[in-house]
Amino acid sequence: MSGAFDLDPRLAGDTFVVGDLPLCRVLLMRDARYAWLVLVPRRAGLTEVADLPAEDRATLWREVDRAAEALRAVAPCDKINIGALGNVVRQLHVHVVARVEGDAAWPGPVWGFGVAEPYGDGAAENRIVAIGQWLTRFGGSQPAGDGSLPPP
């Protein structure tokens, strides 16, 4: 677990950066069909939740809870789905997805279902700002012009 934290290229390509919580980088999936966050512990070489020290595991689940609360606040939903699959991207990451009865994949899982739909003009930015503002209440930070958003 030594070394620098690097975000897996597939995660980087599939997401926008929302900001950082004390342990995790918070990402928004580039799929407008769902309010979908991905939390990635900023620790090198992790593939399983069990790879985290006990204190970091506890922090991870607190941050997952905060992400779920943020999603419920900005994207009202019927259910929150949480999963740490890692079958395609080995780097430890946790999906937190706000589900609405009747959404594109309901009642099945969102993973691997259909084709991602891009956000419309300004929609991703608006969602990132709303979630980021909510998360800053809990020690999170938002990116500052890091180029993670597409040009207008």
Side-chain angles (χ1 to χ4, degrees):
M1 287 193 299
S2 61
F5 165 76
D6 288 313
L7 185 61
D8 180 276
R10 180 152 178 173
L11 284 175
D14 288 347
T15 62
F16 300 109
V17 175
V18 175
D20 289 329
L21 289 170
L23 175 65
C24 293
R25 168 97 8 107
V26 181
L27 307 167
L28 175 68
M29 285 296 291
R30 292 176 182 261
D31 190 345
R33 298 175 299 166
Y34 315 100
W36 182 348
L37 297 177
V38 178
L39 279 66
V40 184
R42 293 185 321 276
R43 305 285 188 268
L46 300 177
T47 57
E48 304 293 342
V49 172
D51 294 340
L52 286 166
E55 184 175 317
D56 283 350
R57 272 196 310 275
T59 300
L60 172 63
W61 293 120
R62 281 192 301 275
E63 292 182 4
V64 166
D65 287 345
R66 288 179 182 146
E69 290 170 8
L71 285 178
R72 283 194 302 262
V74 304
C77 59
D78 299 309
K79 180 75 174 92
I80 295 287
N81 290 174
I82 298 170
L85 303 167
N87 297 339
V88 175
V89 174
R90 294 280 189 205
Q91 181 175 32
L92 176 59
H93 61 287
V94 179
H95 298 267
V96 184
V97 188
R99 300 296 304 276
V100 177
E101 216 170 308
D103 69 28
W106 189 269
V110 298
W111 298 276
F113 180 85
V115 177
E117 294 180 9
Y119 279 92
D121 291 342
E125 293 88 343
N126 291 340
R127 180 159 280 170
I128 288 166
V129 167
I131 291 169
Q133 288 174 341
W134 204 96
L135 291 174
T136 56
R137 300 178 192 176
F138 299 100
S141 64
Q142 287 186 268
D146 66 353
S148 61
L149 293 175

